[in-house]
Amino acid sequence: DKNVRMIFGKHGCLSVISSGARLFAGTQEGLFVRDGADESWKSVSGKLSKEPVRHLASFGNVIYVATPT
């Protein structure tokens, strides 16, 4: 899948986690999300759109994000 290669290759994927039908990818260039039925990744807006996301964790419906700052 070219969209997976784009996230894992171009953006330097550091962490991946799923929550329900959504898939989250933490990269060197921010946080990306992909809905189960959607074929494309979308950048999450706000501070996490430019900050490296090194680790992802979930508890219930909450996603926790670790960044360098």
Side-chain angles (χ1 to χ4, degrees):
D1 178 307
K2 72 176 185 163
N3 291 318
V4 172
R5 284 193 302 267
M6 186 268 303
I7 293 298
F8 286 81
K10 179 181 176 186
H11 297 291
C13 187
L14 303 171
S15 184
V16 176
I17 195 167
S18 65
S19 177
R22 287 187 165 177
L23 189 62
F24 294 87
T27 75
Q28 292 286 4
E29 298 180 18
L31 181 63
F32 290 80
V33 64
R34 180 179 177 176
D35 286 315
D38 197 356
E39 292 189 16
S40 63
W41 290 89
K42 295 182 176 108
S43 177
V44 173
S45 62
K47 183 176 180 180
L48 294 176
S49 67
K50 299 187 187 330
E51 189 77 25
V53 175
R54 295 193 173 155
H55 302 283
L56 297 169
S58 68
F59 184 74
N61 291 332
V62 178
I63 301 291
Y64 297 91
V65 177
T67 65
T69 56

